[in-house]
Amino acid sequence: MLYFLVTLDETFSPTTSRKLLWNTFFNFGKHFSLTLGIDDLSDPSDSQSTSIGHARASLQYGSLTSQYRTLSVPIIRHVEKASLCRLARAFPQCHSAYESIDAEQRNHPVVAYEVFLTYWAQWRLIDGANVLERALLWAQEKGRDIQSHGIFTLLRIALGKTKVFTTGNFTQARDGMREVRRWLKDVAFDKYTDIQIACLSHYYFLIMIANHVTDNFDHQSFRNIPLIPDPQKEGQLNLIKLREAVQSQGRLRDARLILSFEVGFHPDEVAKQQACLSLIEACKHPGRVEPVWAVEGAVRSMLAQSYRRVGDFEAAEKETNLALNLLKTAPVPLDQNRAHLTVWLDQMKATKYSNCTESFAAWIEFSEREPVKTDSMMLSNALGKIADAALEILQASPSVENKTVFWEWELRNESLLEQSGDVYFLYLSKLFTGQIALSLFDELGAVLRWQEEFQGRYPDFNLWAHLVAGKRTLAQVYLRLEQQDQVIKTFGEISEIMRQRDDFWTEDANEGGQYAPQNVSNLDPVGQNSTTSEEMPAFKAENLREEWFSEWVNTAQIGFGKEFKDFSVALGPQLARVADPYMTTLLRWLKAAVNDGTITETELEYITINSKAGRDAQGHDAVEAIQELVPSTLRVHLYGPDSQLVSSARWAKILRLLQDWLLHRVGYNETKRHVLLGRLQTERLDSLIPTPRNSEILQEAERMLDLVPTLCEEAQQQFKGATMNWRRVACLAKKELQAQQNPEALWNEELPEFREVLDMYKVSLKESRDRGSLPNEAATLLSMAQHYYHGAMLLRPNAVAAFIEYLDASDTAYNKSRESWKVLKGWAKVEKLLSAVQEQMRLMIAPLAASVMSRFPSDDGRAKGLWTIVQMAKSNGLGWLMRTTASTEGNQIAGSDRVDVKLEELPVLTPEELKPLGHDAGGNVIFVDWYNGSMPGREMPNPIMLSLSPDGSIATLPVSLTWSEINGIIDRFSFEESDLRKSDASKELQQLNPLVEPLAAATEPGQTLVFSSIGSLHRLPLHALAINGETLIERNPIVYCSSLTALNVAYKARRSAEQLRQSERIPFHASLFGDPPTQPGKKALASLAKAFRTEAQIGDASTSSNLTSALREPRLTLLHYHGHVTFQEGDPKDHGLELDDRRFTLRDIFDLAPLPNSYHATLLGCGSGMSKTTVSNDVVGLVPAFLYSGASSTVSTLWPFDDKDAAMYTRHFYEDFHRCLQAGGEEEGLVDLAKANQKAVLAIREKRPAMYHWAPFVLNGYWMYRMGY
């Protein structure tokens, strides 16, 4: 059985594992078929006719000659002609012969089976399955007993085998295997006919498949057929004896068919070659009906493959040429006859090359041969080989060009597999390319997308080992994204898949086949077999306990890699204490080493006892002490407690001992040994990072960089990203050490110390680019910018230029690194982007740039620079997402329906881009932006405040408050209803007036002010602040937005929708929903429905399905909701509208994107405008969800309100809407929502002056609204 499905984890090497897959499984699976296709893929017969001595008259080529008695002579002639052409792979002539048979007679089981073999040899799997299904249906309609053993058993098992590939479902295959086993388990092999031997060909092929799709398949119980007089424990001898028996009787074609799966299961290449030579010798004395040219030619081809596998290319070429000579005697045209083995000879020449570049070129040339281009099976193999070689080239010489070449060939192969209906290999191909995308390119979004799409297209796919491997990949992605709930969900799905697998083999167990209980290997198998095993504990996500997780980690067969620690961290700090796979594994191996003597007591003492006396606190020596250790105490012995880490000298000696032991004296799996060693050094570094011990950090980082090249290839692949990170750590540590000796080394780029560190960074940058790792390239460029930061802060010209250059390059690299996120949809797209780990470093770019830019003199250039920085900072998240499309790059994992689209870089919003918006809004608009440019560890004392005037001029406005003071006022401000109702609530809030007081000189009363807030300011009604004693909402109409970038997207969407409505004359269309809690609210909703000539969806009509339908309505121009809203600050993703059937959350709204309309949404619910601000300053809440999904503007509330206020707001806000409707549908009916909102707020304020009543209503988005067409 292959181990590639067991070891899919962080130790995965794309090249090695892929070769293992294609060379072992693809070659034995698909080449098994191909080799058989030379003279017959699967030679079936029936149980009711011939025995060993059966004579087949003069007919030579058909697979089921024992059944020819059921066919007319003309049909037999067509079948024979078609079979002969199939053997020569002359498929057009083959199908032409079958088409000469009457359409109904082509459904005859014998004819249908021969047609199926042709499709199988072409790898046209769906066509083959259809032929078998029609034949079974035809026989049933003719009144045949299709449940009886014989020809129908053969059709069923052949169909089951095909369904494994076309649907990824093993059910029919399992049932077919059981049927064959029941039929043949009591039949002696000397009674076998061609049908029974044919059944065995499919049967043993499925045994091989079963061994790959599940690890609890009891293949021994299935390999006890054919029955021989002296049954053996293994089925191998059964096949040998059967082949020798039919071979001795002159049944060479049957012997060749048996040989094909005999050698497939035999592990010894020499034994395979001897078996082939035995049959070749028998061909010297053939029966009178045996086509020696086909039999011997096929056997010599198999022999050539065996020679090729052991590297004897000379012998392989010799056997292939002999096969070619045999084909010359075939009764078919020579050009057809020679083509097949000629390309096989070319293939062997291509395989000779050990250099990946030469192999790449040779396989491309091979794939362009005409016989190959028209043969799906051969072409698929060739494309896979080309992609393998391209991957080796990419890993040896990482570059964008080589990456593009690899994806090009990989996607061509996947497209061919889809066309062939080969779902089995398509999943494996996508699984491995997903691992490559994850491990080499950090393309997390592509992995999530292909998993989602594959599951949607192939819902019946249930090959367990494949699915578990895919889920493990998903778990790695979710761990990288710190998505604890998705990690837990994925664990549950893995356990459910395993449960279904176990149930599958126990279903109808009395019908044949024994159930082998699932044994789960521990993490440290000795060699290839574990000496201990235990049952997988059941997963219960709702009752996660430390004991369960610890047990699960130590028994789950999900590989050995860094994800174990990540799993525990993702699931909580308590679990992190108990789930330490590295210490667990090391301790287990150390205990075993005591018993087998692979480690000395002196070495053990130094590793496990942190005491000069050579004994632990209880007086135990090393051998005794290790039996008392647990993983957590072993960690303390190795690294020391957090308060007192071991010295560098002690750790160096421990590492040398462990390195010698793990690399040279331990018999466990090499990859796991090397990964463990690397992780031990990594954790030593992790323990030092929080400390000021820069000299030790530098020493350990350099030690790590020296260690990695000594590890095996698979382990090196795992640590490739870590080496780049530790190289940056070494640079930083060296810089700090140099600064301690000479502070000028921090900023003086002319000093040798400064240049030394810069050269180290350049090495790291080259390594990142060579490997094609954009996240590491971006992080290194950012570190290089930080290297020049101190000089830039002193406005040294060279430092400023270099600082800007590296900062800009870092931002560009970060943009490219997250291109793959554009393939995601809806909430997944938002959540994964905003929580992506690699975004954390990017968030430093704008504060770094802002802090340097702020040092420049106050002039127009400084203002423009700060504008660019602020817009860049605020467009990282939602604004960026709103500007992207669902297009993906051509080098992503994709289905055949994808197009190769290059996404353009999204430029930073410029003042010129906002001019059309301001013009369409009447021209009298001032845009105001606040930004917090605080750096980690240092707080910028004052906010950056910018204004953009109608003439395009940018001004920096001084704010007298610091961010510390602002946050203190906000923290003290109470949002409780009782406090907001107090008359002095406004006064408390107006301690923040300095935030808006600079607008007194920069703006005029009556101008529309657009506020782009930041951080905690999003929670506040800034319109309740005052300028010179006048409340802002009295002085100016106020509009809010999360960023000006998002606002501009909303504007463009509305203008585009308005143009469409005008061209198609689409009238105003409103949808009203909700269930107001009071009579004034109900009355207001009913009155609005009457004015808009529509019916409000209230009570049991206010459902999620009705709301979804309303939002998807292309004519929708206005949505009004008046009802309950739930907001939980700790979990804002559950923020939602309370409908009659369920809560309609922001996740539901995001998932609707993109909607086919642009509309205004009024959301009158308690706290509908409440939100949570992320570390990237993005706002998570209902308002951004609606704006993202299609709304161009929203009205919402910042806190729970009095329903009477909402009713009053509704009446006044919609007055201009009513006026436009009354004026007639053909009038443009332009409504200024900013002024409408101002009027409604002031109307409430006049009657109910407490801030609680009027201040919560806020308008977001583009505010100019056209009613008509």
Side-chain angles (χ1 to χ4, degrees):
M1 174 179 178
L2 290 179
Y3 285 88
F4 71 92
L5 291 176
V6 180
T7 58
L8 275 178
D9 55 52
E10 286 290 325
T11 66
F12 164 78
S13 166
T15 302
T16 302
S17 297
R18 188 183 180 89
K19 283 183 174 178
L20 180 62
L21 167 65
W22 294 113
N23 291 343
T24 307
F25 187 54
F26 185 93
N27 286 342
F28 177 61
K30 296 178 80 173
H31 285 174
F32 171 67
S33 308
L34 188 57
T35 301
L36 296 180
I38 294 173
D39 82 287
D40 183 306
L41 168 63
S42 310
D43 254 354
S45 304
D46 192 75
S47 65
Q48 300 162 356
S49 187
T50 68
S51 62
I52 285 182
H54 174 70
R56 299 179 181 173
S58 60
L59 305 176
Q60 302 177 348
Y61 303 111
S63 300
L64 302 181
T65 57
S66 68
Q67 295 297 294
Y68 279 0
R69 57 185 172 77
T70 65
L71 299 174
S72 66
V73 172
I75 292 178
I76 293 173
R77 288 173 179 166
H78 290 308
V79 170
E80 281 293 307
K81 179 180 179 181
S83 299
L84 173 60
C85 292
R86 171 169 53 81
L87 301 184
R89 301 188 77 80
F91 297 121
Q93 294 82 350
C94 181
H95 287 293
S96 177
Y98 285 129
E99 288 169 3
S100 300
I101 302 174
D102 177 75
E104 182 177 0
Q105 288 301 312
R106 286 203 294 271
N107 290 324
H108 188 287
V110 176
V111 178
Y113 184 74
E114 298 287 359
V115 176
F116 159 74
L117 290 180
T118 303
Y119 282 133
W120 181 273
Q122 292 180 277
W123 211 241
R124 291 169 57 181
L125 302 175
I126 295 177
D127 291 334
N130 291 338
V131 166
L132 295 174
E133 287 174 335
R134 285 196 301 268
L136 288 168
L137 180 61
W138 179 84
Q140 188 174 23
E141 291 174 348
K142 294 294 183 180
R144 298 289 300 274
D145 181 12
I146 65 172
Q147 299 304 318
S148 61
H149 293 317
I151 184 69
F152 300 113
T153 300
L154 174 61
L155 296 187
R156 278 189 288 273
I157 192 169
L159 179 60
K161 178 178 75 171
T162 310
K163 288 290 187 180
V164 172
F165 288 91
T166 59
T167 67
N169 192 294
F170 209 83
T171 304
Q172 285 183 264
R174 175 201 63 187
D175 295 344
M177 292 174 70
R178 287 173 172 172
E179 182 179 356
V180 170
R181 187 168 175 272
R182 288 195 303 270
W183 178 27
L184 299 183
K185 68 180 181 180
D186 297 324
V187 178
F189 73 93
D190 58 349
K191 302 296 184 181
Y192 278 17
T193 66
D194 49 7
I195 277 192
Q196 289 160 319
I197 290 176
C199 285
L200 279 183
S201 73
H202 301 296
Y203 182 88
Y204 271 85
F205 187 90
L206 286 171
I207 288 177
M208 176 200 68
I209 298 289
N211 276 330
H212 291 297
V213 300
T214 180
D215 50 4
N216 70 335
F217 173 66
D218 185 10
H219 61 91
Q220 293 296 351
S221 67
F222 277 90
R223 287 176 63 182
N224 62 0
I225 59 171
L227 181 69
I228 59 176
D230 182 20
Q232 303 294 312
K233 291 183 178 180
E234 295 188 8
Q236 185 66 42
L237 184 57
N238 304 40
L239 295 178
I240 295 173
K241 285 189 172 293
L242 177 61
R243 191 255 308 160
E244 290 174 345
V246 298
Q247 180 177 307
S248 66
Q249 297 297 321
R251 295 171 56 185
L252 302 183
R253 286 182 300 162
D254 288 342
R256 201 275 314 143
L257 180 58
I258 299 166
L259 176 66
S260 62
F261 46 88
E262 174 190 334
V263 300
F265 279 92
H266 208 299
D268 185 357
E269 288 294 338
V270 175
K272 294 178 184 181
Q273 294 163 13
Q274 290 174 347
C276 290
L277 292 171
S278 172
L279 185 50
I280 290 172
E281 180 65 24
C283 286
K284 296 178 180 179
H285 311 285
R288 64 185 182 88
V289 297
E290 300 295 331
V292 174
W293 66 269
V295 175
E296 187 176 345
V299 176
R300 289 195 180 278
S301 178
M302 281 192 279
L303 182 58
Q305 290 183 61
S306 179
Y307 286 139
R308 185 183 62 178
R309 282 193 293 269
V310 297
D312 191 346
F313 293 104
E314 183 178 347
E317 189 169 338
K318 174 184 175 182
E319 291 300 329
T320 303
N321 283 320
L322 289 172
L324 281 169
N325 292 332
L326 284 165
L327 285 177
K328 293 178 182 179
T329 65
V332 291
L334 190 61
D335 57 342
Q336 297 176 17
N337 197 6
R338 289 174 56 88
H340 177 56
L341 282 187
T342 299
V343 295
W344 268 106
L345 189 60
D346 291 338
Q347 185 185 44
M348 280 187 286
K349 292 176 181 177
T351 309
K352 286 182 182 180
Y353 297 108
S354 57
N355 179 283
C356 55
T357 303
E358 294 177 344
S359 179
F360 179 73
W363 279 111
I364 289 179
E365 193 278 332
F366 173 75
S367 71
E368 293 172 348
R369 296 293 184 96
E370 284 303 320
V372 178
K373 289 195 291 187
T374 58
D375 192 317
S376 295
M377 183 177 289
M378 297 172 69
L379 181 59
S380 179
N381 181 44
L383 293 177
K385 295 288 188 180
I386 295 170
D388 285 345
L391 179 59
E392 288 190 54
I393 293 171
L394 174 61
Q395 291 182 307
S397 303
S399 68
V400 174
E401 180 182 1
N402 287 341
K403 176 181 176 182
T404 303
V405 170
F406 164 71
W407 284 119
E408 174 190 347
W409 288 103
E410 184 59 43
L411 293 177
R412 281 186 60 181
N413 188 35
E414 289 183 7
S415 177
L416 180 61
L417 291 172
E418 270 195 296
Q419 294 172 22
S420 303
D422 187 350
V423 177
Y424 183 102
F425 275 97
L426 179 64
Y427 187 92
L428 286 177
S429 182
K430 286 185 174 293
L431 174 62
F432 276 87
T433 51
Q435 282 281 352
I436 292 164
L438 185 62
S439 61
L440 297 185
F441 312 126
D442 293 308
E443 292 174 353
L444 285 72
V447 177
L448 295 172
R449 183 63 177 271
W450 85 254
Q451 289 267 6
E452 176 186 344
E453 289 186 344
F454 193 94
Q455 185 175 358
R457 293 188 67 178
Y458 306 106
D460 295 332
F461 191 93
N462 74 342
L463 302 180
W464 310 275
H466 299 45
L467 290 176
V468 168
K471 293 297 181 183
R472 291 171 191 160
T473 306
L474 274 182
Q476 293 177 36
V477 173
Y478 290 132
L479 287 164
R480 296 272 293 278
L481 300 176
E482 299 179 346
Q483 297 296 306
Q484 176 178 344
D485 56 341
Q486 292 295 338
V487 173
I488 294 174
K489 178 184 176 184
T490 305
F491 279 164
E493 290 170 347
I494 289 175
S495 288
E496 175 60 19
I497 292 169
M498 291 178 173
R499 184 197 64 77
Q500 292 176 4
R501 173 207 59 193
D502 293 346
D503 290 348
F504 180 84
W505 291 109
T506 57
E507 291 172 1
D508 303 320
N510 60 315
E511 292 299 313
Q514 298 175 7
Y515 169 60
Q518 167 63 12
N519 289 329
V520 182
S521 300
N522 281 297
L523 296 176
D524 59 336
V526 179
Q528 294 182 342
N529 299 304
S530 175
T531 56
T532 59
S533 62
E534 55 186 282
E535 287 293 318
M536 170 80 71
F539 180 87
K540 296 182 180 179
E542 70 278 5
N543 187 27
L544 252 169
R545 306 185 315 277
E546 293 184 15
E547 297 82 2
W548 180 91
F549 187 75
S550 180
E551 183 184 7
W552 197 88
V553 163
N554 291 323
T555 58
Q557 236 179 358
I558 57 176
F560 176 70
K562 118 182 216 308
E563 73 270 18
F564 279 108
K565 182 178 180 181
D566 294 339
F567 286 157
S568 62
V569 171
L571 295 177
Q574 288 185 323
L575 298 180
R577 292 199 305 269
V578 298
D580 191 336
Y582 309 110
M583 291 301 113
T584 299
T585 303
L586 178 60
L587 182 58
R588 189 180 303 142
W589 288 2
L590 285 171
K591 290 180 178 180
V594 173
N595 297 326
D596 60 27
T598 58
I599 193 168
T600 68
E601 186 173 348
T602 302
E603 292 171 327
L604 189 65
E605 176 184 310
Y606 205 86
I607 294 171
T608 61
I609 298 180
N610 190 5
S611 167
K612 294 182 179 179
R615 293 184 174 272
D616 65 12
Q618 287 72 39
H620 298 141
D621 62 21
V623 175
E624 296 169 333
I626 196 171
Q627 304 303 326
E628 304 296 325
L629 287 179
V630 295
S632 58
T633 54
L634 176 59
R635 173 180 292 279
V636 173
H637 283 300
L638 289 176
Y639 302 120
D642 293 340
S643 59
Q644 189 178 357
L645 298 177
V646 299
S647 67
S648 182
R650 174 175 169 77
W651 172 252
K653 185 169 182 180
I654 291 175
L655 183 63
R656 282 197 301 271
L657 291 173
L658 290 172
Q659 189 169 356
D660 175 68
W661 178 56
L662 288 173
L663 294 186
H664 307 298
R665 286 184 281 153
V666 178
Y668 301 107
N669 175 276
E670 180 187 59
T671 298
K672 294 187 178 182
R673 287 188 283 114
H674 289 211
V675 168
L676 176 58
L677 182 60
R679 288 301 303 175
L680 292 171
Q681 175 63 15
T682 298
E683 295 201 19
R684 163 66 175 171
L685 268 165
D686 287 340
S687 67
L688 286 171
I689 291 300
T691 73
R693 295 156 66 169
N694 287 305
S695 60
E696 291 186 51
I697 292 173
L698 176 61
Q699 186 177 18
E700 298 299 349
E702 291 175 340
R703 186 173 285 138
M704 182 70 182
L705 296 174
D706 292 337
L707 173 65
V708 170
T710 68
L711 306 179
C712 66
E713 180 183 351
E714 289 80 359
Q716 288 187 45
Q717 284 296 321
Q718 175 170 337
F719 293 111
K720 65 179 180 62
T723 56
M724 289 180 274
N725 176 60
W726 293 125
R727 201 179 298 280
R728 293 195 302 273
V729 168
C731 293
L732 184 59
K734 181 175 280 293
K735 182 175 182 176
E736 294 291 336
L737 288 172
Q738 291 175 346
Q740 291 172 13
Q741 298 173 1
N742 181 8
E744 193 176 340
L746 278 175
W747 54 265
N748 190 341
E749 65 273 13
E750 297 177 0
L751 291 179
E753 298 96 319
F754 187 96
R755 293 197 299 271
E756 180 186 5
V757 175
L758 181 63
D759 289 341
M760 290 174 65
Y761 277 127
K762 288 180 178 179
V763 171
S764 180
L765 180 62
K766 183 180 185 301
E767 183 180 13
S768 300
R769 286 174 171 169
D770 287 346
R771 289 183 177 272
S773 175
L774 280 169
N776 278 290
E777 178 184 342
T780 303
L781 287 164
L782 180 58
S783 297
M784 295 173 78
Q786 290 175 299
H787 190 53
Y788 281 98
Y789 172 75
H790 293 90
M793 289 292 285
L794 297 174
L795 299 185
R796 292 172 63 87
N798 291 339
V800 170
F803 173 78
I804 293 174
E805 176 189 351
Y806 287 126
L807 210 59
D808 182 64
S810 177
D811 185 62
T812 300
Y814 273 120
N815 274 331
K816 291 180 180 178
S817 72
R818 62 183 197 167
E819 286 289 290
S820 63
W821 291 101
K822 296 177 183 178
V823 305
L824 299 177
K825 297 177 181 178
W827 172 246
K829 185 175 185 179
V830 176
E831 185 180 35
K832 303 305 182 288
L833 176 75
L834 299 185
S835 62
V837 175
Q838 61 261 35
E839 297 296 315
Q840 300 302 314
M841 286 194 70
R842 180 183 181 159
L843 298 177
M844 298 176 62
I845 293 177
L848 281 168
S851 60
V852 171
M853 186 59 66
S854 298
R855 301 299 294 265
F856 279 80
S858 298
D859 57 16
D860 187 53
R862 177 189 178 212
K864 288 182 178 178
L866 287 172
W867 168 275
T868 300
I869 293 166
V870 170
Q871 303 316 313
M872 177 186 70
K874 288 191 171 185
S875 63
N876 277 339
L878 188 62
W880 180 83
L881 286 173
M882 291 175 70
R883 300 174 73 191
T884 63
T885 65
S887 301
T888 62
E889 290 184 315
N891 61 3
Q892 297 293 325
I893 304 172
S896 58
D897 57 334
R898 298 287 182 82
V899 292
D900 189 3
V901 178
K902 288 289 184 182
L903 293 172
E904 297 180 358
E905 287 294 327
L906 298 174
V908 174
L909 182 72
T910 64
E912 287 72 23
E913 287 185 82
L914 287 174
K915 281 186 177 179
L917 189 159
H919 177 270
D920 287 353
N924 206 15
V925 181
I926 303 292
F927 300 95
V928 183
D929 226 324
W930 289 271
Y931 181 65
N932 183 352
S934 300
M935 290 280 292
R938 347 177 160 91
E939 185 170 359
M940 184 170 283
N942 300 85
I944 294 174
M945 184 177 180
L946 301 170
S947 68
L948 175 65
S949 300
D951 63 1
S953 62
I954 304 170
T956 56
L957 306 177
V959 178
S960 60
L961 293 173
T962 67
W963 276 112
S964 296
E965 292 169 334
I966 292 169
N967 292 331
I969 294 170
I970 295 173
D971 290 341
R972 291 191 299 272
F973 183 77
S974 173
F975 289 89
E976 295 295 328
E977 177 181 344
S978 58
D979 294 320
L980 290 169
R981 287 181 180 272
K982 294 177 181 178
S983 58
D984 60 350
S986 296
K987 293 181 180 179
E988 293 180 8
L989 184 66
Q990 288 178 1
Q991 296 177 68
L992 295 173
N993 282 346
L995 283 171
V996 299
E997 285 172 348
L999 297 176
T1003 66
E1004 298 177 1
Q1007 288 182 315
T1008 299
L1009 304 184
V1010 180
F1011 286 170
S1012 176
S1013 302
I1014 190 77
S1016 56
L1017 298 187
H1018 286 295
R1019 302 168 55 193
L1020 301 176
L1022 297 178
H1023 57 275
L1025 301 180
I1027 296 177
N1028 298 328
E1030 183 179 16
T1031 306
L1032 263 180
I1033 194 64
E1034 293 180 281
R1035 182 180 184 271
N1036 302 91
I1038 306 295
V1039 180
Y1040 292 88
C1041 63
S1042 59
S1043 71
L1044 296 178
T1045 298
L1047 172 67
N1048 198 43
V1049 173
Y1051 158 71
K1052 291 180 178 179
R1054 176 159 289 168
R1055 292 294 294 136
S1056 176
E1058 288 173 351
Q1059 292 170 5
L1060 177 63
R1061 287 201 295 270
Q1062 288 175 345
S1063 65
E1064 298 187 4
R1065 301 183 66 79
I1066 300 174
F1068 173 79
H1069 179 82
S1071 289
L1072 280 60
F1073 283 81
D1075 191 10
T1078 67
Q1079 284 303 315
K1082 295 180 186 296
K1083 184 177 179 181
L1085 186 60
S1087 176
L1088 191 63
K1090 181 178 179 181
F1092 288 162
R1093 305 183 184 96
T1094 188
E1095 182 178 350
Q1097 303 293 309
I1098 60 175
D1100 59 5
S1102 181
T1103 63
S1104 57
S1105 59
N1106 286 343
L1107 179 57
T1108 298
S1109 298
L1111 290 171
R1112 286 177 172 163
E1113 169 57 59
R1115 298 175 301 152
L1116 180 68
T1117 51
L1118 184 141
L1119 173 73
H1120 180 93
Y1121 175 83
H1122 190 159
H1124 296 286
V1125 168
T1126 298
F1127 177 78
Q1128 297 174 338
E1129 189 167 358
D1131 195 10
K1133 62 179 176 292
D1134 285 332
H1135 194 189
L1137 311 178
E1138 295 293 346
L1139 303 178
D1140 183 69
D1141 56 339
R1142 68 177 179 87
R1143 183 181 304 165
F1144 199 76
T1145 68
L1146 65 83
R1147 289 179 291 185
D1148 297 314
I1149 300 163
F1150 273 117
D1151 285 340
L1152 291 173
L1155 290 167
N1157 44 46
S1158 179
Y1159 58 95
H1160 168 77
T1162 296
L1163 308 172
L1164 297 182
C1166 293
S1168 58
M1170 296 173 71
S1171 60
K1172 181 177 181 179
T1173 306
T1174 68
V1175 67
S1176 62
N1177 289 314
D1178 281 290
V1179 183
V1180 180
L1182 279 176
V1183 169
F1186 272 100
L1187 291 172
Y1188 176 84
S1189 299
S1192 293
S1193 57
T1194 65
V1195 165
S1196 59
T1197 65
L1198 294 175
W1199 54 70
F1201 54 77
D1202 188 322
D1203 201 46
K1204 293 179 182 179
D1205 298 328
M1208 192 183 307
Y1209 183 92
T1210 299
R1211 185 167 67 253
H1212 291 284
F1213 179 76
Y1214 287 110
E1215 283 180 353
D1216 286 344
F1217 286 75
H1218 302 327
R1219 173 182 55 76
C1220 292
L1221 286 175
Q1222 292 169 1
E1226 295 186 2
E1227 183 179 330
E1228 282 193 351
L1230 188 63
V1231 177
D1232 187 327
L1233 301 180
K1235 292 182 178 178
N1237 176 70
Q1238 182 188 38
K1239 179 169 59 176
V1241 169
L1242 292 178
I1244 299 172
R1245 186 170 184 259
E1246 182 180 357
K1247 292 189 175 182
R1248 313 183 83 175
M1251 190 174 69
Y1252 166 78
H1253 297 288
W1254 58 269
F1257 299 95
V1258 293
L1259 172 69
N1260 275 268
Y1262 181 57
W1263 60 97
M1264 301 307 293
Y1265 182 89
R1266 294 185 187 277
M1267 290 283 294
Y1269 49 77

